[in-house]
Each structure stands twice: as C-alpha cells, then as structure tokens.
Amino acid sequence: MSSAPLVRDPDLNRLLDDGYDVVVEEGHLIIRQLPFVNEAKEIGYGFLTYPVTVTGDRIVSGTDHRIWFGGGTPCDEHGNRLPIATPEAHAMSGGRQAGYMLSSKPGPIGYPDEYTKVTSYARMVSHPAQALNPAVTLTPGAAWQEVESGSPFNYLDTASSRAGLTALNSRFENQVIAIVGLGGTGSYILDQVAKTPVRKILLIDGDTFENHNAFRAPGAPSLQTLRTRPMKVQYFADIYSQMHRGVTPVPLFLDAETTHVLDEATFVFVATDDAVTKQEITAYLEKRDTPFIDVGMGIEEVDGKLTGLLRVTTSLPGRRDHVHQMNRIPGPAPERDDYARNIQIADLNALNAQMAVMRWKRHVGFYADLTNEGFTTFAVAVNEIANEDIA
C-alpha cells in the first residue's frame, strides 16, 4: 500500500510537501533516501520506519517515541555510532528489516505528532552527513517517491494530494480515452488528459510531425527531431509516456475499415479536421453508444484581423439527437477546402482543447455541471462563450 490512499492525513501531507520520500506499506511508515554517515565515515542512504495504525485515511498518532533505521549503522561524522542508536532488528514487509532502534524522547509525553517525530529523527540521522557534505538533502522531492504498481503514473501526483483531490480523481479510474487527431487541438487535449489517472490513452493519427505542428502544439521540439519527421503519435507518446504509463500510439488514419481500434475506448475526443473521416468516426461511435466530444475551429481573416468560432459538440448515450437535428458537427463542404485553408493558432487550439477537456470532466463528475449542454461555442471577436442544447 502506497501513501496515495492517505493523502488526507495532515502529517503525511506535510512530509510530502516538504519533499520527503515517504510511503506507508503494510502498517509501516517509511522515510526513504535518507542520508547518513556509516562507520567508514562515508555518506550512504538508508531509511527510517516505524509501525503505524491507519484508521480510514488517517494515521493514528501514538505516544511511542521510538523509530527504527535501516541501511547501515548511523554514525556521526567521525564514524562513531550515534548515541541514540541501539542494535535491534525490526522486521518489515517483503522480508526487509531495519537494524537499529533509535530512541530520543523529547519529554514525558513524547512527540506531539507524527510529522514532528519523523522530521526530528531525520535531522538527527542526517546531520552528520550534511556536516561532511552540505549539498546532501533529507528531502529529495517527488521524483524519488514511488507509486503503487496499479497507478497509471510513473511518479507521485503531489498536486492532487496537496489540493485534496485524490478522492475525486477516482472518477477517472479504468477509463480508456481515445484522441483521434494529434494536431493543434488534439495535442493540447492529450496534454491535459495525460495529467489524469485514466487507465489508457490511445493516440490515433497517421500523419508525421512537421514544422507547422511544432508551432501549434505544447512543448518545443528540437530542430533535429523535426528533421527526423517522426509519426505524430510516436512523438507525443515519447513525451507523455515519461509521465503516464498508459499512453499508446496508434499510427493510423481512421476510416470505415479501421474504426474498430476505438472499441476499447470508454470516451473519445474527435479532433480531426477531415469532415468525411469525422462522419465515419462519429457514426461508428453512435452505433456502439460510446460517449464522445467533437471539436472544431473556424477562423478567418477579415479586414486584416482574425475572427471566428471555436466549437465543442458533446454526444452522450441518450443525448445525441441535437447533433443531427441541429447539425452540430459540420459535414463535408465541397465548395471549400476547409482542411487546407483553416487557420490554426496555438492559443485558440489550446482554448478549444481546454473547453473540451473541462466538458469531459463535468461529464464524469469531477466538476459540477448545472447545464449539461450539448453544444458550446467561443466567439473570438466578442470573447464570449455560449452554451446551447441544454438538457
């Protein structure tokens, strides 16, 4: 069991905020990556641990002042064992054990809380190491904090723990999100979805990543990367897989023959500009009764300035009539080559993506939703958002 289920515990929160590498496993609180000096007067890294009682999502504070240390013999800067350390084996989970019991009671009632107890002992053990090398730190930060094997992230989400959002984040669990089209808007959708604990993110696009993509997508690719002309899905998968374990590239242009790749998706963002392909995709999703959001931008130059609309169309099980009756997803327009002429600007792509992601988050219950709209537009010239097709 990792520290994630206990993020509401105030002492654990303070330790995480300080940057301690802390977890709770099988009834033990463990502080890892703690610098100390061994008998050879060398700096090593060990751990502090002690048994705790967990009630609900809180650690129950106790009066026991003892704590155990593992990883070597904790010494002062001269290689002499610390006076507070007594050899005593203490078994932990997974066959591990600590080798020394540390005892330093500050008063008749012990430590006032778990945070004070942990930080006090951490300083006692690490002070000699800092005396030898002031650069060593007790608080390596979130980069050292491991997460449970079932987490979709490669490192701990301390942003959610600090804000107390872990319970709400459960709304995203086991979701498989597909993003069709990794152009300007689709790439910004990915940027936001990758920061949620969905189980899997399917990136679907058959195009290569070119110079113009670099100027309307998050991040900043190198010139060397652009010269290799990577597939869009692989380019973004390489970036976001560093954070999210479930990012899966699917290098395909979807059509009637390949839409089956959407079968495992629980929600789909349709961010392709190809109107013909869009119709085939949305028809397939409706047939499977899969919820989806379609995004679009219509930007043009008028009198030397850009104007136009951003659009978010939401189609959910039991709420799809408005899409067809009100023509909320524009079909092909043979008289205009929208795909080639449509102007895309990074800030508008990002805004279109944020509108879509926030609508999705309201759909799953992360945000409150008092409108349950099926169609939203943002008008550039008047800076106005309009909600229509209210349920």
Side-chain angles (χ1 to χ4, degrees):
M1 173 173 151
S2 79
S3 59
L6 299 173
V7 291
R8 289 183 57 195
D9 183 86
D11 290 329
L12 191 58
N13 263 335
R14 292 179 69 187
L15 292 170
L16 290 170
D17 287 346
D18 284 355
Y20 284 95
D21 179 3
V22 55
V23 293
V24 176
E25 292 181 351
E26 298 185 17
H28 280 78
L29 188 146
I30 308 171
I31 302 293
R32 303 175 297 194
Q33 293 295 324
L34 196 67
F36 75 103
V37 174
N38 61 24
E39 292 171 302
K41 295 187 286 187
E42 300 170 332
I43 296 176
Y45 288 85
F47 62 88
L48 291 172
T49 186
Y50 64 101
V52 294
T53 300
V54 177
T55 299
D57 54 6
R58 299 296 179 98
I59 295 174
V60 179
S61 296
T63 58
D64 194 337
H65 65 280
R66 297 176 301 167
I67 200 167
W68 283 261
F69 180 80
T73 301
C75 298
D76 61 22
E77 58 266 41
H78 305 294
N80 302 312
R81 192 176 75 202
L82 294 177
I84 63 171
T86 302
E88 179 180 307
H90 182 83
M92 300 163 55
S93 62
R96 295 177 296 169
Q97 68 176 21
Y100 288 86
M101 186 269 289
L102 309 183
S103 177
S104 177
K105 194 172 184 179
I109 62 172
Y111 292 94
D113 51 54
E114 308 303 307
Y115 174 83
T116 304
K117 175 179 177 177
V118 168
T119 55
S120 297
Y121 278 111
R123 287 193 296 270
M124 294 177 206
V125 170
S126 297
H127 178 74
Q130 291 181 316
L132 294 180
N133 182 0
V136 300
T137 178
L138 292 66
T139 54
W144 285 99
Q145 294 160 3
E146 297 178 5
V147 296
E148 58 194 52
S149 59
S151 170
F153 296 118
N154 289 315
Y155 40 83
L156 194 63
D157 176 13
T158 54
S160 292
S161 65
R162 288 182 177 186
L165 298 177
T166 302
L168 277 174
N169 274 341
S170 64
R171 309 290 172 89
F172 303 114
E173 290 178 0
N174 297 317
Q175 287 209 40
V176 177
I177 306 301
I179 304 173
V180 183
L182 270 294
T185 303
S187 59
Y188 279 103
I189 290 174
L190 167 62
D191 185 70
Q192 294 300 303
V193 174
K195 296 173 175 66
T196 65
V198 297
R199 178 165 59 87
K200 192 173 184 179
I201 307 171
L202 299 172
L203 309 183
I204 305 171
D205 197 309
D207 210 348
T208 54
F209 191 82
E210 308 285 353
N211 282 46
H212 64 278
N213 300 120
F215 285 91
R216 64 188 192 206
S222 68
L223 177 59
Q224 184 56 42
T225 297
L226 291 172
R227 285 172 176 166
T228 65
R229 303 186 70 217
M231 297 297 295
K232 283 182 183 177
V233 294
Q234 193 60 56
Y235 168 77
F236 286 111
D238 289 345
I239 294 172
Y240 288 95
S241 290
Q242 297 180 77
M243 181 180 199
H244 199 292
R245 298 171 178 171
V247 179
T248 305
V250 183
L252 284 176
F253 286 118
L254 289 195
D255 56 28
E257 301 300 319
T258 57
T259 46
H260 61 85
V261 301
L262 298 172
D263 287 358
E264 66 174 316
T266 58
F267 197 96
V268 178
F269 290 95
V270 183
T272 176
D273 287 327
D274 190 326
V276 174
T277 299
K278 191 185 295 268
Q279 284 192 322
E280 294 172 340
I281 294 169
T282 56
Y284 186 80
L285 294 174
E286 288 177 343
K287 182 179 178 180
R288 293 186 58 82
D289 210 20
T290 302
F292 68 87
I293 284 177
D294 179 80
V295 295
M297 295 171 50
I299 307 299
E300 60 182 347
E301 183 180 355
V302 177
D303 297 330
K305 299 175 184 178
L306 297 181
T307 187
L309 289 176
L310 312 184
R311 173 185 59 79
V312 174
T313 301
T314 305
S315 180
L316 307 173
R319 284 206 61 214
R320 304 191 191 275
D321 290 345
H322 65 286
V323 176
H324 303 285
Q325 294 173 359
M326 306 299 293
N327 192 31
R328 295 312 195 189
I329 299 179
E335 70 279 5
R336 294 190 307 167
D337 186 4
D338 287 335
Y339 183 76
R341 298 179 56 191
N342 186 31
I343 300 169
Q344 296 198 34
I345 305 297
D347 51 358
L348 296 181
N349 284 124
L351 178 57
N352 202 187
Q354 302 293 358
M355 292 167 61
V357 170
M358 292 180 69
R359 181 64 183 92
W360 165 62
K361 287 186 174 182
R362 286 191 285 123
H363 165 66
V364 299
F366 185 84
Y367 290 135
D369 187 4
L370 300 180
T371 62
N372 196 22
E373 80 283 355
F375 184 72
T376 301
T377 58
F378 171 76
V380 175
V382 293
N383 191 40
E384 184 175 81
I385 292 178
N387 292 323
E388 300 184 47
D389 305 336
I390 308 298

